[in-house]
Amino acid sequence: SHRLLPALLVLGLTSPAVAAPLITDLALAAATGLEDGYLNYGDVVTATVAFSEAVTVTGTPQLTLTVGATALKASYVSGSGSPTLSFTYKMTLNRNDADGISLPADAVILNGGTIQAGGEAAVLTHAARPDDPRFRVDSQKPAIPTMALTEDTGTVGDRVTAQGAVQVSGLEPDA
């Protein structure tokens, strides 16, 4: 075939095009610290992106995750030389998503890097993935409870409360 290529070029013909790798699947794959179906502050969620063939990665591409209405960037961590890449995001404070994390369309961002196979850049277009209820988020900073004596029927200075009520506020629901 190497002798045939110069002849094809002389005739104005080109060699068959090499297909670029395509995204075949992407999904949220795992999480550390998942508690009662929720990710909390400091927990790590892992997403995977599968390609039609093994790809080589340079730099640190990112994957956009949607938590609530906020777009967050997961960083590439592994997979170069294989058809599946892994991305992770460490949950920050004050994130909430009762429906679960979703992945928007075209969520892979090169971020100055490359994803390719055989010299062909990967095609990074894909459809959005809906909320995944396995990965809901509640990383609100817990409220600090307060306690106050609301009534004291004792005598001033006696250091005794004969009757009274204590009011506690600032507790999270179901706490």
Side-chain angles (χ1 to χ4, degrees):
S1 70
H2 66 285
R3 290 184 201 177
L4 184 58
L5 186 56
L8 289 174
L9 293 175
V10 169
L11 295 173
L13 302 174
T14 59
S15 61
V18 175
L22 305 172
I23 292 176
T24 58
D25 190 29
L26 76 158
L28 297 171
T32 61
L34 198 62
E35 185 178 314
D36 295 328
Y38 281 88
L39 290 159
N40 298 288
Y41 170 72
D43 294 345
V44 177
V45 63
T46 300
T48 57
V49 179
F51 288 87
S52 55
E53 61 185 291
V55 293
T56 302
V57 177
T58 63
T60 309
Q62 296 174 322
L63 179 69
T64 303
L65 311 175
T66 303
V67 176
T70 305
L72 304 172
K73 304 295 186 234
S75 296
Y76 164 75
V77 291
S78 66
S80 186
S82 78
T84 304
L85 305 181
S86 294
F87 296 79
T88 61
Y89 179 80
K90 186 174 183 177
M91 201 53 59
T92 55
L93 277 176
N94 301 322
R95 302 288 178 207
N96 286 305
D97 194 332
D99 299 320
I101 298 171
S102 62
L103 301 168
D106 308 331
V108 178
I109 302 165
L110 291 176
N111 192 35
T114 64
I115 301 174
Q116 60 183 353
E120 292 291 320
V123 175
L124 303 178
T125 56
H126 62 81
R129 299 299 192 269
D131 297 331
D132 190 332
R134 298 175 304 148
F135 300 96
R136 295 175 293 165
V137 178
D138 178 9
S139 68
Q140 285 298 116
K141 185 175 182 179
I144 298 173
T146 59
M147 187 168 57
L149 185 62
T150 59
E151 183 179 336
D152 179 1
T153 58
T155 306
V156 174
D158 68 1
R159 298 183 157 191
V160 176
T161 299
Q163 294 180 333
V166 175
Q167 180 182 12
V168 178
S169 60
L171 296 176
E172 292 185 32
D174 301 323

